[in-house]
Amino acid sequence: MSETQPDPVESTLPVTGHAAIDAALAALDLGEDVHTHHDEISAALEVVQQALNPSQQPPLPRP
């Protein structure tokens, strides 16, 4: 019987504990075409920024 080895990329993914950040980092794909790196990194950073600095919510109405 052969044992399946864990995917080395999956085992090195960071786990922050914030689902949106973890998903954005897992989706980050820096391939050989360096021209696409800027867009990939910008998208991941946007998710991180939204998680760390959520938009101001209006105060909830009081009963």
Side-chain angles (χ1 to χ4, degrees):
M1 269 202 283
S2 67
E3 292 183 35
T4 58
Q5 298 295 323
D7 184 6
V9 173
E10 261 186 50
S11 64
T12 61
L13 289 176
V15 177
T16 64
H18 191 285
I21 293 175
D22 291 341
L25 293 177
L28 188 61
D29 181 22
L30 300 178
E32 291 185 27
D33 184 5
V34 297
H35 294 67
T36 63
H37 288 191
H38 178 269
D39 293 337
E40 293 282 333
I41 293 170
S42 291
L45 286 175
E46 179 66 28
V47 172
V48 171
Q49 189 155 18
Q50 288 176 3
L52 296 177
N53 301 307
S55 61
Q56 290 282 344
Q57 298 294 322
L60 296 175
R62 290 188 164 181

